[in-house]
């Protein structure tokens, strides 16, 4: 039905419900192939104005042009104008216009349509809707390509808005009145919002031009390094992400009043409000932190948490943020445990001792011991620590998400030693594993042929075999020890990464929150439409929801010889649609727990990859749940559809109706 | 006119499909490639297997001696080096006519072996200290069996893999070396394994090629050595070993020859063809 | 007489191969003669359940997964309920198993004999006797064929081989050769090269098909005849050997490797050539050479297995499996061609297409079915006696298995009686003629 509407037998007529309350008049509106949309009703002119009326609003094939659609006849109210209406109809008939003659009969709520002219052989479907909600709607999907009903209506009203002033002029010159349906009073709040947004965009564009000028002036900073610098610490990445997002949207939206693309405007509004909310929350956190010197306290407790608990016994447990045990001492205990026989595992004691001593030395370097004035890394950090926390607080000006990313960065800085340990253990383990695999091939008398990418058999010399087997035995028996160290440190590192990933996930979710859309959805649900935007009611009492806005589905009852009357009502977008329309598309390669496991096992590491993988896996779980909910809804709606379509399509089947 | 039945598929339409001609199964041939075996030749050739088994036993015996401190590792190293040297001279004399590596290359690899073994022996000493003795002995036995199974006895079979057998022997040597107390012990075990499993087979092949009598003499010598050595450890072991040797040499040979008349190899046009050039 | 036939094999569509197309073509021709044919095979991936092929050929894709080498795991008893259900549902009177490798076929025939339905087996390949896998397969075959009523082999050599392997009465074995579709494999001399001679090789590049021989022959021929090219279709582990030979002798422009050629394109490749070379080391029938002759090519082949029985001597040059002899044979064929003394392609096609047709195969198979149907039914005791003759130890085991299966059948029959099984409606196949229907009910002897 969608495909070939021009030659189809169906003509859809969209009539605003306000039209049915007023006086009789001539229906003016837009035509499209297979559909008509009424935008205004003109008072019936005297016969001498007919010619000029016709010449002005004759029906052309031009799509974006207002023309005469038909006649609205409210005879219950105005019996004396019978003659004029009849004259109207006669005139239309003479001119062979396809006219819709809408008539209210005996005060009954249903209008009746009789078509004449070129519409005689078509099946008419009259769709009555409430203009106020529909005309200002925002659609979450871009349906401009598809000739849907809603786009037709919005298009007609947009055209009407454009040509309104000259139409009013002409009408006044003839001394007639025009009944309009759309009120053009933009509410104050949205006017204000539009002004603010316009200012915001203008400010932002200027800022970006200034920054780019600055960048050019500063000189030849290599773009690659700048990008690297911006992406490495999470806070800077977040700031730059925010900046680029708003800049893109602003640049596309800047001729603000002229943009018709409502989705873009919605996105811009979302971004704007997200920014505002972010800053408000960040400032709140900042105020809370800087009150009563809480930041200094936090810094101190974090430091003691990381530090060896050998010094400053006075600072014990007076504040409620103190932990009984802290990370470095726990690490030391862990290492001592591993150097023994942990969990009854058979480790090579020499190697275990050697590796244990090695890592203990690192912890020693990390924490330092004040008693012999050895400056450790943490000691080095200590004076800057409270400043760092104060910085976090201050960055609340830029927003809560920036604070969170700063926390993530500080966490990674504080756990640098764990990262070091992990890297050492991973390298060692990887080396041992690759050596073992190639020596195992030697053991069997085979070799890896890299040219042909396969394993070939080869005859080795005795000396090669001897050395190879010796090394193989040694590596094999030393493997459990290395494996244990590696797994312990990999587990620790994974914990840290999980913490970081959850921070990052929170930031990502925040970056995608459709705040403004949600606000609209809650307060003015009629303004927001998703793909399943409208539903049709038949008989005005039966609330049958048919969740397709493109296809008019079959009605349950149909009186023969009468056109089909449907009421179209808005369906507000569901929450999953809101989320989907605003979350960024993930084009990254799909990761699974299995690939993560295999990467860990073979000790292939890449920091950002791992964080990204964790974050994506967490995000996947969240979005998968939302997807299944969305799918369930679609399944339910399609069940209705099959129920409906199981009825034989009597209504729109054939030409035997006429 | 009735044509004679021919063994083709594009004729014979008048005969039923399950017709059996008198030429049915004419192409069947039995036992085309059966070899005739001579008892004493078989017994002599089976000496290869007994020699390898004896070598393994001698190796294990020497390990047991070292463990029980009946022989000091330094002494063992000295003996083993001396015998290697003698054997090397003998080998050079025997294969004087053939193309070989130069003496300098041999010396270099010998030096490399010794240095590596000596250098790695402290690590090897404590390699399996936390693994239970039973596991280590089980692994050793498995590896020595692998050595016996995959050893190149001169037959052209698919199962033979020289690398695998040598590697299995070295692996077992390392396992055993880790059970001994000092680094000299470990070094001695390694040197011994190298000598017995890596160097001795080439000398043996050389000897065999020269004259068949060498083969018998070496078999006898090694068997006697292993049985006598086993007798010093445990009498039942020696008896069992002697019985095993007798079984392999005499028992299996007579069994093989006794089974030959029962062969029933079927050959015919259905066999997968062997490419002849 | 009209029979209800069930063809069983592990190998069927969507696999493409010799056995698969044999089953399909035979079924189609039997259906044209008025019989009812269904096919039972295992599932292929998602292809599970009942499907219908051309002319309503019903195929049951059983939900049993292939285990090794496209065959199902040989568990004897669990397949009994399912197969019994199918056989009763379709009122099957004859179960026809294909291919010794197919465990499903053996199991189905075994269950059919337990239920008293006639079983017949077609063997498509040759086996040795000496290696481990052959010994086991031969034992299984002995057991399986001890119970069947009749065996079909595709050549006389194959008959001798089967009789020796399974130790069965040679009167129980019929020789019915394979066939080709003469309407597809038609010659087209216009596709040949006007100046150069082409040798086509179309086989899997594995050791069994003589890929090493091929690699030895090609350089010699190419050096002796500068106007001879080779086109090799097929893939396999030995492809590397051919490619190495190609590179070392710089024959890249004279030897073309096509890789795997899909089944529907084989004829297009064949008509491009003048000669067809078959170097396989063992073949029961070798349909490829018949297809080649049908397309008008001259055939040169190794004299192995059943190949000498297939074609008359003027169509084929035979040689023992050595590179020297094959080169000589190929030279002889090329000389014949140069002197224009070879058989005209159209004449060759007409002769061969008449010799090996699927309708002929179907007619001969129908004769076997009729003969089988008139045989008296064997008692359980006699069957068990035959099993016990399979060997001193193995025979006893086989008897035990057969008895257990019999009891299991009784239990299954009690659990789901034959009266409660819905009989499937027959598909109205397109017939060539309408013979009388066989009135004896197939459900009479089933329990």
């Amino acid at each position: 039905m969608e495909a070939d509407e021009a030659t189809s037998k169906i003509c859809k007529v969209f009539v605003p419900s306000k039209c049915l309350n007023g006086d009789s008049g001539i229906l003016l509106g837009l035509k499209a192939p297979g559909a008509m949309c009424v935008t205004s009703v003109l008072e019936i002119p005297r016969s001498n104005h007919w010619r000029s009326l016709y010449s002005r609003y004759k029906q052309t094939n031009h799509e974006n042009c207002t023309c005469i659609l038909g006649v609205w006849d409210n005879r219950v109210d105005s019996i004396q104008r019978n003659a004029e209406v009849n004259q109207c109809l006669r005139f239309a008939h003479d001119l062979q216009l396809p006219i819709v003659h809408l008539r209210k009969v005996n005060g009954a709520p249903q209008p009746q349509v009789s078509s004449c002219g070129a519409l005689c052989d078509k099946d008419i479907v009259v769709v009555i809707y409430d203009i106020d909600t529909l005309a200002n709607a925002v659609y979450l999907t871009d349906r401009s390509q598809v000739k849907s009903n809603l786009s037709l209506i919005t298009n007609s009203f947009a055209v009407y808005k454009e040509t309104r002033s000259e139409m009013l002029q002409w009408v006044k010159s003839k001394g007639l009145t025009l009944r309009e349906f759309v009120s053009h009073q933009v509410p104050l709040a949205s006017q204000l919002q539009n002004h603010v947004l316009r200012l915001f965009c203008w400010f932002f564009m200027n800022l970006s031009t200034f920054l780019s000028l600055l960048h050019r002036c500063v000189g030849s900073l290599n773009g690659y390094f700048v990008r690297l610098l911006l992406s490495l610490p999470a806070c800077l990445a977040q700031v730059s992400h925010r900046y680029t997002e708003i800049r893109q949207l602003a640049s596309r939206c800047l001729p603000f009043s002229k943009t018709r693309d409502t989705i873009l405007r919605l996105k811009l509004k979302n971004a704007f409000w997200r920014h505002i909310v972010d800053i408000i929350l960040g400032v709140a956190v900042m105020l809370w932190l800087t009150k009563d010197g809480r930041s200094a306290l936090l810094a101190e407790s974090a430091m003691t948490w990381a530090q060896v608990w050998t010094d400053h016994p006075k600072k014990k447990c007076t504040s409620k943020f103190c932990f009984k045990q802290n990370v470095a001492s726990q690490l030391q205990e862990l290492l001592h445990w591993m150097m023994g026989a942990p969990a009854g595992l058979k480790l090579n004691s020499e190697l275990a001792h050697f590796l244990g001593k090695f890592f203990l030395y690192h912890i020693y370097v990390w924490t330092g011991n004040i008693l012999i004035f050895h400056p450790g890394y943490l000691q080095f950090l200590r004076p800057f620590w409270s400043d760092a926390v104060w910085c976090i607080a201050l960055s609340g000006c830029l927003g809560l998400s920036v604070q969170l990313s700063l926390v993530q960065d500080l966490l990674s800085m504080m756990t640098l030693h764990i990262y070091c340990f992990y890297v050492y253990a991973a390298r060692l383990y990887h080396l041992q594993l690759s050596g073992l695999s190639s020596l195992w091939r030697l053991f069997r008398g085979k070799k890896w042929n890299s040219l042909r990418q396969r394993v070939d058999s080869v005859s080795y010399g005795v000396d090669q075999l001897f050395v190879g087997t010796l090394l193989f035995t040694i590596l094999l028996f030393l493997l459990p020890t290395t494996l244990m160290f590696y797994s312990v440190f990999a587990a620790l590192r994974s914990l840290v990464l999980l913490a970081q990933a959850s921070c990052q996930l929170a930031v990502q979710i925040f970056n995608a929150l459709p705040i403004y859309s949600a606000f609209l959805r809650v307060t003015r649900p009629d303004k927001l439409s998703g793909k399943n935007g409208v539903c049709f009611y038949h008989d005005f009492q039966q609330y049958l929801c048919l969740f397709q806005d493109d296809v008019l589905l079959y009605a349950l009852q149909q009186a023969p010889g009468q056109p089909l009357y449907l009421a179209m009502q808005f369906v507000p977008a569901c929450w999953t649609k809101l989320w989907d329309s605003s979350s960024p598309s993930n084009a990254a390669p799909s990761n699974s727990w299995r690939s993560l496991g295999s990467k860990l096992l073979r000790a292939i590491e890449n920091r950002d990859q791992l964080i990204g993988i964790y974050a994506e896996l967490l995000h996947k779980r969240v979005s998968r749940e939302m997807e299944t909910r969305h799918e369930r809804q679609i399944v339910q709606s399609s069940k209705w559809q099959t129920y409906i379509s199981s009825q034989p399509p009597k209504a729109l089947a054939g030409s035997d109706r006429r | 006119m009735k044509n004679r039945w021919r063994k083709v598929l594009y004729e014979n339409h008048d005969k039923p499909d399950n017709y059996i001609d008198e030429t049915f199964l004419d192409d069947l041939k039995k036992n085309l490639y059966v070899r005739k075996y001579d008892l004493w030749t078989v017994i002599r050739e089976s000496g290869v297997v007994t020699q390898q088994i004896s070598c393994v036993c001698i190796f294990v015996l020497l390990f047991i001696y070292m463990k029980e401190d009946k022989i000091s590792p330094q002494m063992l190293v000295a003996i083993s080096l001396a015998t290697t040297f003698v054997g090397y001279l003998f080998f050079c004399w025997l294969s004087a006519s053939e193309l070989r590596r130069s003496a300098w290359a041999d010396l270099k690899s010998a030096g490399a072996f010794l240095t590596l073994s000596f250098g790695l022996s402290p690590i090897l000493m404590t390699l399996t200290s936390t693994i239970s003795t039973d596991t280590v002995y089980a692994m050793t036995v498995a590896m020595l069996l692998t050595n016996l199974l995959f050893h190149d006895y001169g037959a052209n079979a698919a199962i033979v893999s020289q690398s695998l057998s040598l590697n299995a022997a070295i692996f077992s040597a390392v396992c055993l070396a880790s059970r001994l107390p000092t680094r000299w012990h470990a070094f001695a075990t390694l040197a011994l394994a190298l000598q017995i499993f890596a160097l001795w087979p080439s000398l043996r092949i050389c000897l065999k090629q020269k004259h068949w009598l060498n083969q018998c003499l070496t078999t006898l010598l090694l068997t006697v050595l292993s049985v006598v050595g086993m007798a010093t450890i445990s009498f039942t072991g020696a008896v069992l070993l002697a019985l095993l040797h007798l079984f392999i040499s005499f028992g299996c040979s007579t069994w093989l020859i006794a089974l030959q008349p029962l062969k029933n190899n079927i050959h015919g046009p259905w066999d997968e063809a062997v490419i002849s050039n | 007489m009209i029979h209800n036939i069930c063809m069983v094999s592990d190998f069927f569509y969507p696999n493409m191969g010799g056995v698969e197309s044999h089953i399909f073509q035979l079924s189609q021709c039997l259906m044209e003669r008025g019989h009812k044919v269904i096919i039972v095979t295992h599932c292929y991936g998602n292809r599970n359940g009942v499907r219908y092929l051309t002319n309503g050929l019903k195929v049951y894709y059983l939900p049993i997964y292939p285990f090794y080498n496209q065959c199902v795991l040989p568990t004897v008893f669990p397949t009994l309920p399912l197969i019994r259900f199918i056989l009763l549902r379709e009122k099957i009177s004859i179960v026809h198993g294909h291919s010794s490798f197919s465990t499903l076929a053996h199991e189905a025939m075994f269950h059919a004999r337990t239920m008293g339905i006639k079983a017949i087996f077609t063997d498509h390949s040759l086996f040795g006797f000496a290696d481990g896998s052959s010994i086991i397969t031969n034992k299984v075959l002995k057991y399986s064929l001890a119970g069947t009523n009749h065996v079909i082999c595709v050549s006389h050599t194959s008959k001798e081989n089967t009789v020796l392997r399974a130790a069965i009465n040679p009167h129980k074995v019929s020789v019915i050769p394979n066939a080709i579709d003469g309407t597809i494999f038609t010659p087209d001399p216009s596709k040949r090269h006007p100046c150069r001679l082409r040798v086509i090789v179309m086989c899997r590049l594995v050791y069994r098909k003589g890929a090493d021989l091929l690699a030895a022959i090609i350089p010699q021929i190419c050096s002796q005849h500068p106007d001879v090219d080779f086109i090799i279709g097929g893939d396999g582990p030995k492809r590397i050997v051919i490619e190495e030979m190609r590179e070392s002798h710089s024959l890249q422009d004279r030897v073309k490797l096509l890789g795997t050629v899909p089944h529907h394109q084989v004829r297009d490749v064949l008509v491009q050539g003048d000669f067809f070379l078959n170097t396989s080391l063992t073949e029961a029938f070798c349909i490829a050479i018949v297809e080649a002759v049908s397309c008008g090519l001259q055939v040169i082949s190794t004299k192995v297995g059943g190949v000498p029985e297939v074609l008359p001597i003027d169509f084929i040059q035979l040689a023992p499996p050595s590179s020297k002899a094959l080169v000589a044979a190929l030279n002889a064929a090329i000389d014949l061609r140069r002197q224009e003394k070879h058989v005209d392609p159209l004449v060759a096609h007409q002769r061969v297409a008449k010799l090996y047709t699927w309708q002929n195969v179907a007619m001969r198979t129908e004769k076997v079915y009729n003969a089988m149907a008139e045989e008296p039914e064997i008692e359980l005791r006699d069957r068990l006696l035959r099993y016990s003759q399979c060997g001193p130890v193995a025979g006893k085991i086989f008897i035990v298995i057969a008895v257990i299966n019999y009891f299991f059948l009784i239990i299954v029959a009690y659990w789901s009686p034959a009266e409660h099984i819905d009989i499937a409606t027959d598909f109205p196949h397109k017939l060539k003629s309408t013979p009388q229907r066989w009135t004896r009910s197939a459900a009479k002897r089933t329990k």
Side-chain angles (χ1 to χ4, degrees), chain B residues 138-239:
Chain B
M139 274 199 299
T140 312
V141 167
M143 285 296 137
L144 285 174
L145 280 175
T146 319
N147 179 0
L148 285 174
L149 256 180
F150 290 95
H151 190 82
D152 184 9
Y153 294 112
N156 192 11
I159 203 177
V160 167
S161 166
Q162 190 219 351
S163 330
L164 186 57
S165 70
L166 181 59
N167 287 339
I170 306 284
F171 192 93
S172 63
V174 170
C175 288
L176 285 181
S178 61
R179 286 283 121 195
L180 293 170
T182 72
R183 66 177 301 185
W184 276 103
H185 284 103
F187 177 56
T189 319
L190 270 184
L192 201 63
L194 184 65
Q195 184 190 8
I196 294 183
F197 293 113
L199 299 176
W200 162 244
S202 22
L203 181 60
R204 181 182 69 202
I205 293 172
C206 203
L207 278 174
K208 184 171 162 196
Q209 277 173 350
K210 280 294 166 185
H211 193 55
W212 61 265
L213 198 59
N214 296 338
Q215 163 93 341
C216 302
L217 285 173
T218 36
T219 315
L220 231 59
L221 182 66
L222 282 174
T223 320
V224 163
L225 263 179
S226 58
V227 170
V228 163
M230 189 66 93
T232 59
I233 304 286
S234 102
F235 186 65
T236 38
V239 168

Side-chain angles (χ1 to χ4, degrees), chain B residues 5 7-10 17-20 24-25 28 266 269-277, chain C residues 129 156 159-161 164 170-171 173 175 207 281 285 305 309-312 321-323 364:
Chain B
W5 183 91
K7 194 175 166 188
V8 287
L9 294 169
Y10 47 88
D17 285 326
N18 59 348
Y19 171 73
I20 303 174
F24 186 64
L25 286 182
L28 171 69
I266 302 178
W270 48 79
D271 279 340
E272 189 172 302
V274 173
I275 301 176
S276 59
N277 281 322
Chain C
F129 294 88
H156 294 290
K159 171 170 174 171
E160 293 177 358
N161 184 247
L164 283 173
H171 285 285
V173 184
V175 176
Y207 173 72
L281 300 179
F285 182 82
E309 311 170 18
V310 176
L311 289 173
S322 77
S323 54
R364 288 157 85 162

Side-chain angles (χ1 to χ4, degrees), chain B residues 83-147:
Chain B
T83 40
T84 312
F85 190 59
V86 166
Y88 177 66
L89 286 175
F90 201 39
F91 181 71
C92 283
W93 174 63
L94 274 180
S95 62
S97 53
E98 291 159 18
L99 217 59
R100 267 183 315 103
R101 301 190 325 168
S102 70
W104 174 236
D106 288 338
L107 193 64
K108 269 203 302 194
S109 31
F113 288 163
L114 291 174
T115 341
L116 194 66
S117 310
F118 198 69
L120 285 179
S121 47
I123 302 181
L124 292 179
M125 201 170 70
T126 54
L127 208 54
T128 59
S129 51
T130 50
I131 302 183
S132 76
T133 317
D134 291 335
T135 321
V136 173
Y137 284 164
M139 274 199 299
T140 312
V141 167
M143 285 296 137
L144 285 174
L145 280 175
T146 319
N147 179 0

Side-chain angles (χ1 to χ4, degrees), chain A residues 27 89 147-148 192 257 317 375 395 413 418 439 484 520 534 649:
Chain A
L27 299 169
L89 286 172
K147 289 207 187 308
S148 69
L192 196 66
S257 48
C317 290
S395 66
M413 263 177 29
I418 295 184
L439 284 174
M484 199 209 56
L520 265 192
V534 287

Side-chain angles (χ1 to χ4, degrees), chain A residues 150-396:
Chain A
L150 292 176
S151 62
L152 169 69
I153 298 176
T154 38
N155 198 27
S156 358
F157 275 99
V159 167
Y160 172 70
K161 234 187 263 190
E162 281 167 14
T163 56
R164 179 172 166 257
S165 47
E166 57 171 299
M167 202 191 305
L168 277 177
Q169 241 184 352
W170 184 88
V171 161
K172 216 177 266 190
S173 69
K174 300 290 177 202
L176 300 166
T177 53
L178 186 72
R179 192 150 55 95
E180 300 180 291
F181 303 126
V182 187
S183 65
H184 291 281
Q185 305 286 26
V186 184
L188 194 63
S190 63
Q191 263 184 355
L192 196 66
Q193 190 187 70
N194 288 346
H195 282 306
V196 168
L197 273 177
R198 202 172 304 153
L199 233 88
F200 179 72
C201 286
W202 174 85
F203 166 71
F204 214 81
M205 289 309 293
N206 282 342
L207 180 69
S208 71
T209 20
F210 173 68
L211 278 177
S212 59
L213 267 175
L214 197 72
H215 177 238
R216 223 170 289 155
C217 289
V218 163
S220 55
L221 263 181
N222 194 355
Y224 171 69
F225 281 121
V226 171
R227 275 199 297 278
L228 194 65
L229 196 65
L230 278 182
S231 66
L232 221 45
C235 53
L236 286 181
Q238 167 65 8
V239 166
S240 72
H241 172 262
R242 186 58 79 64
Y243 166 74
T244 41
E245 179 194 12
I246 295 188
R247 192 182 67 165
Q248 271 179 356
L249 284 175
S251 62
R252 280 162 72 188
C253 274
L254 201 53
F256 196 73
S257 48
K258 295 279 185 299
T259 41
R260 280 223 207 152
D261 192 350
T262 43
I263 297 175
L264 203 58
R265 288 171 71 162
L266 191 70
K267 278 194 182 154
L268 181 66
K269 288 181 191 169
N270 270 332
F272 174 68
W273 280 108
R274 211 183 297 144
H275 202 66
I276 298 285
V277 167
D278 200 15
I279 292 181
I280 291 176
L281 283 177
V283 169
V285 169
M286 172 177 86
L287 287 175
W288 178 80
L289 269 183
T290 48
K291 197 166 74 153
D292 298 340
R294 277 211 188 100
S295 68
L297 209 60
L298 259 180
E300 200 53 44
S301 61
M303 204 40 115
T304 43
W305 182 70
Q307 180 101 12
V308 173
W309 215 48
T310 51
D311 46 351
H312 302 280
K314 292 193 282 286
K315 288 231 173 119
K316 274 190 235 185
C317 290
T318 43
S319 72
K320 54 187 183 222
F321 291 107
C322 224
F323 293 97
K324 236 204 155 174
Q325 279 184 327
N326 44 53
V327 175
S329 66
Q330 272 192 319
L331 264 181
Q332 282 183 327
E333 280 177 26
L334 183 71
L335 280 169
H336 281 296
W337 177 69
M338 285 203 288
M339 292 199 308
L345 286 173
K346 304 199 193 301
L347 298 181
N348 190 354
S349 43
E350 274 79 28
L351 187 62
H353 268 98
F354 172 69
L355 286 175
K357 284 257 181 308
F358 177 67
F359 288 122
L360 275 174
Y361 176 70
H362 267 80
I363 295 186
Y364 177 67
V365 166
W366 171 258
T367 60
N369 198 337
I370 289 223
L371 294 179
I372 45 174
F373 289 93
H374 180 92
Y377 177 65
L378 278 187
Q379 295 302 104
F380 176 73
L381 267 191
R382 184 179 269 266
F384 304 107
W385 202 249
S386 50
D387 288 339
V389 178
W390 189 78
C391 258
I392 293 180
L394 199 62
S395 66

